[in-house]
Amino acid sequence: MKPYPKEASLSQVIADLSNDGKSNGTTEAKAKAEDEESKATVRLWYLEVSTKTFPYEKGERVEARYNGEWYIGDLKGLPEEDKHGRYSVLCDVDKGKPTPPKTLVRQIRRVTPKEGEGEEIKEWKAVSDRELKVELGLLKLTKSGLSKFMVERKNDGKWIRELIIKDWRDFEVGDYIDCEDTQSKFLPAVIKKVRGGKIQVHYVGYSDKWDEWIDKESDRLAKRGSRCRTTEDYDDDDYGSSYGFGGSQGSVGLRNLGNTCFMNSTLQCMNATPSLTDFFVDGEYRSQINRSAYKSGGRIAEEYGKLVKEMWAQRPHTVTPRGFKAAIGDFAPRFSGYQQQDSQELLACLLEGLHEDLNRIRKKPYDPNPAIGDGKNDEKIAELAWNKYRKREDSVIIDNIYGQIRSQVICPECGNLSVKFDPCGILQVPIPSVETKLQAVTIQYADPSKPNLKLAVSVEKSGDVNDLQAAVAKVANVDAKELISCEVYHNKVYKVFSQDHSINSIMDNDIIYMFEVLSLKSEKPEDSKGIMRVKVNMETGGRDELIFGTPVCIGIPYNDDHEVKAGDVESMIVNALKRNWSNDKKEKPFKVLVRTDWNEFKEISPEKMIKLSRDFEVKAVWDSKEDYSEAKCLKHKSLANLGESEGGEVLTLKACLDSFTKEEILTAGNEYRCPACKKESRGKKKLDLWRLPNILIVQLKRFQYTRQWRDKITTYVDYPLEGLDLATWTKAKDQKRKAVYDLYAVSCHGGGLGGGHYWAYAKNLVDQSWYTLNDSSVKKMRKNDVKTKEAYLLFYARRGFNGSQAAREARSKK
C-alpha cells in the first residue's frame, strides 16, 4: 500500500482499495472520498488489545497505594461514592485504633486476583463512519495510537464478517454521549470509566472536578448529538468534516487540538481585525519579519501569516492550527501542553510575539531617562514618552493596537503630583460591585407539613456561613440559629458547613441545603450537653444499594458521655422524613440503620444507648424506591435575581470605565516612592486614557485571585455594539474628536474557574454579518445575540477605520 499524507483520511484509503489503487490521493481524490466510500467494496477493521478486568466490590481484600507504599485492607467505599473519585479502604494497620481513619486512594489492586484477571483480550472492531473522516495525523483508535488493520473485501457482493451494531447504551470507555449536568443542561461528554451499572462521565471542555458517576439507565444520558446543538461541540474529539461549513469566506472553523478552545477564540477575533487581515493575507508581513527577534526569530509571524491566509482561502473549510500551536508553545512554554488556558493571556503573548517578529527597529537604543511630568505640561510629556517608546518599539501591532494611559500619583506626605504615560495594548477594566454574590439555597422546614423553599440571597463574599444563614432566615422567616447548612452532591450530604466556613469557597454550581432543626434552640433538654449534626442518606436495600432522593440533616442532643438513646434518633429521622412517604402508609416504609464505627450498618434496639463519635453514621433504607416521593418545593421570587447585578440594575461598560478611571489609594505592599520627598507611602492614584488606538481591546476582569480565594465574576455587563464614545475618559483634547468605536468581535468564556469553554462572536470583514465561531462550528447569528454575560474580551475598531475594503482587495488577489 502506498504512503498517505497525514492530512488524508481512511475514506481515501477505502476509495483507493475499492478502485484497486487507481486514485492518486490528490486533493481531488480527497474531495471525492466520501462519495467513493458509499460505493466501497472493502471495509476496514482494527485490532483492539485490552486487559481483562473485574469491577471491585465492597468488602474485598485489597492493597491500597498510599504515599508510594502498598497497604492491605478491606475495601469500604467505591469511587462513585466519593466526590473526588477515590476508593475508601480500612487498612489492617489502622484496625486496632479507637477511631480508624479512612484511607482514600485512587489506586488499589486485589490481594488475590480473580481467575482470568489481567489476561490480554484481542478483538477486531470495524472502523466507524466518524473515524473514516478523521485525518490520519489525528487518528487514534487505541490507547497507544498504533493500530493493526484488516482489509475485508466483499465476496459475491456480500460482507464476510458479521458487523454487530451495538446499542448506544452499551457503554465503553471513550464513548461520547450527551449528558444532563446538575443544572439541567445537556452538554457533550465522554465516558472515562465503566463500573457495574454506572459510568463516570467527563463534560467536554470542563475541569475534571465536574466529573460524576451516573446510572447507565438514567434519563440524564442521551445518544451523542441528540440533545446538544451539534456534534461539533465535542471539543476533545472535534474532527467533523473538513468541508462542513455555514459561513462566509474568512469566517471558518478552527479544529480543537485538545483544550485549545481558548486559542481558537483569540485567533477568530484577531482574524476579524481590520487592517491586520490584509497585511497578512497579501504577504506584506514577510518583508518586515525580524529574523533576529527575541525568542521566536520570526516564527510567530510566519505561522500566524500562514494560518490567516488559509482561513481566507476561497474554499470554505475547517482549518487545523497545528503549526501555530507549536510555534506559540515554543515561544511561551505554558502554551505548549494541552491544559486549558486563558484567552487574554494567549492574546497578550500573541501580540508580543507578532510585535517582536515584525519590529522595524533592529537595534534598540538605550534611554535611562523616563519621561515624568508634574501635570502642568501633559501634552509635551506624553509626546516625549511616546517618541521614546517608538524609537524602541515600531511595528504594525504598535501602529494599530497600542495607545497610551495617563497615570498620576499624589504623595500624601508632601502633595507632590507625579505623572507618567505608559503604552497599553489591552485595556483591563474591573467589574464593579462584586463584593457580594447571589447564593441559591433550598431550605427544609422542621414542620413536615410545610413545603421546601428554594430562594436566593445576597451575601458578602468576605462573609461566612453564619452570614448566609442570617440572610436566609430573614427571607424564610426562621431562626438562623436553628439551621444546619450543607452541600448536597449526588443525592448525599457531601459536606456539613461550620458556622465560620467561607462564602467564597462555595462554588456557583454547588447545591446548598439548609435544614431547620428545632433541637438547636437554646432551650435544650436539661440532660443535653451538646448537639451533634448528623447527615442521613436515602438508600434501597439489597445487594445493589442505590442512593437516591434528597438527604436530610438532623441535630442529635447528647449527654455528658456523648451518648444518645437509639429510639430518640429514630424518632427524629421519622419526623424529618414524614414529608417523603405517601399518606396511605401508616407505618414508616424504611428502616433506620446506624453505624458507630467501621462495622456494618445495623438496626439497634430503641432502648440502647449509642456512643456518638466521628464515624457515627445513619441511613434510611427504604423498602422500595416507589415508597419515596420528593417533597414539594416552592420557588421564591428572589431566584429571578440570579445572574443579574445587585439590585436588578444592569451593569454597563461605562460603569467599568468609570471604575477604571476612579481615584484610589494604593494598597499596602504597593507603596509609591515619591521622587520629591523620597518617602514610600500609599499615595492617591488615578488612571485616564490619553492616546487612543485604532483597535481597542477591552478585557472585562472576570477572574479574581487573592491569597485567600479565587472567583469568576459572572455579572452581565452591557456593552454597546456601535457608538462607544471614549471622550469622557480621555484626557487628551486632540483625541476626543475621534473617540467613537464600533464592536467587531467578542471572546466569550462559559463555565467556572476550573476550565470552562471559550468561543467567539465576530463580524465578517466582507459581508459584515455576525458569526458564532465555536471551534469547528460556524453559524450565522443575529446581531442582537452578540450581547452576552459570557463576554470576556471586547474588540472595537475606531469609527472610520474600516478594514472591509482592504479585505475585499485581499480577496480579489486570490
Side-chain angles (χ1 to χ4, degrees), residues 37-233:
E37 179 192 340
S38 62
K39 308 172 185 177
T41 58
V42 298
R43 190 161 62 184
L44 290 182
W45 300 73
Y46 69 95
L47 182 63
E48 181 178 81
V49 181
S50 59
T51 302
K52 190 173 184 180
T53 60
F54 297 93
Y56 289 98
E57 297 180 359
K58 292 181 182 180
E60 283 194 85
R61 295 286 290 168
V62 297
E63 289 182 286
R65 185 176 176 84
Y66 183 74
N67 287 341
E69 301 289 339
W70 291 93
Y71 297 90
I72 297 178
D74 301 326
L75 181 59
K76 294 294 184 179
L78 299 175
E80 52 264 41
E81 300 172 345
D82 180 68
K83 187 175 183 179
H84 302 288
R86 298 167 297 183
Y87 293 94
S88 177
V89 179
L90 173 59
C91 298
D92 291 349
V93 295
D94 296 324
K95 287 184 178 180
K97 300 178 180 178
T99 54
K102 295 180 181 179
T103 302
L104 298 173
V105 296
R106 297 189 183 279
Q107 186 177 2
I108 64 172
R109 63 191 183 194
R110 287 185 174 88
V111 173
T112 305
K114 292 189 175 183
E115 183 178 354
E117 187 173 14
E119 291 181 358
E120 189 176 75
I121 302 174
K122 295 183 179 180
E123 182 181 6
W124 286 100
K125 292 190 174 183
V127 178
S128 69
D129 293 340
R130 177 179 60 84
E131 291 160 344
L132 287 174
K133 298 178 178 64
V134 179
E135 294 180 9
L136 294 177
L138 296 173
L139 184 64
K140 188 174 182 181
L141 296 171
T142 63
K143 289 184 178 180
S144 65
L146 302 175
S147 302
K148 289 184 179 181
F149 288 96
M150 176 173 63
V151 179
E152 179 189 7
R153 291 186 180 274
K154 279 186 176 180
N155 185 13
D156 294 332
K158 296 181 180 180
W159 296 112
I160 301 171
R161 295 177 61 88
E162 180 183 4
L163 179 61
I164 300 175
I165 307 298
K166 72 171 187 175
D167 184 80
W168 71 272
R169 283 192 186 267
D170 293 336
F171 299 117
E172 295 181 4
V173 174
D175 285 352
Y176 283 85
I177 57 174
D178 293 349
C179 183
E180 185 181 26
D181 67 2
T182 55
Q183 303 301 307
S184 301
K185 179 181 179 182
F186 273 91
L187 299 172
V190 61
I191 297 175
K192 292 180 68 175
K193 294 180 182 178
V194 179
R195 182 174 290 113
K198 293 189 176 184
I199 59 172
Q200 186 185 36
V201 298
H202 168 72
Y203 295 104
V204 175
Y206 288 81
S207 169
D208 290 346
K209 74 176 184 177
W210 303 117
D211 293 355
E212 57 177 322
W213 288 89
I214 300 177
D215 291 334
K216 286 183 177 180
E217 300 302 322
S218 173
D219 293 337
R220 293 176 58 193
L221 306 178
K223 191 175 181 180
R224 176 181 184 174
S226 64
R227 299 299 300 270
C228 293
R229 290 180 298 175
T230 168
T231 54
E232 302 286 355
D233 289 335

Side-chain angles (χ1 to χ4, degrees), residues 98-99 532 534 556-567 569 594-599 602 604-618:
T99 54
M532 183 173 181
V534 177
I556 300 178
Y558 55 82
N559 58 25
D560 285 335
D561 297 323
H562 281 253
E563 291 182 338
V564 63
K565 187 181 293 185
V569 175
V594 176
R595 184 175 70 178
T596 56
D597 50 33
W598 273 95
N599 296 323
K602 57 185 179 182
I604 298 180
S605 171
E607 299 302 320
K608 185 175 180 179
M609 298 300 291
I610 303 174
K611 184 78 171 182
L612 300 182
S613 66
R614 187 185 66 176
D615 295 314
F616 178 76
E617 282 190 59
V618 182

Side-chain angles (χ1 to χ4, degrees), residues 287-325:
S287 63
Q288 298 185 25
I289 289 181
N290 181 5
R291 297 296 176 185
S292 61
Y294 172 65
K295 288 200 293 186
S296 69
R299 190 179 170 202
I300 296 293
E302 278 188 338
E303 292 295 342
Y304 181 75
K306 291 178 184 177
L307 177 63
V308 173
K309 194 163 187 176
E310 177 66 16
M311 293 175 73
W312 280 87
Q314 287 281 0
R315 175 177 55 83
H317 61 311
T318 295
V319 178
T320 303
R322 189 181 293 108
F324 176 81
K325 170 72 168 62

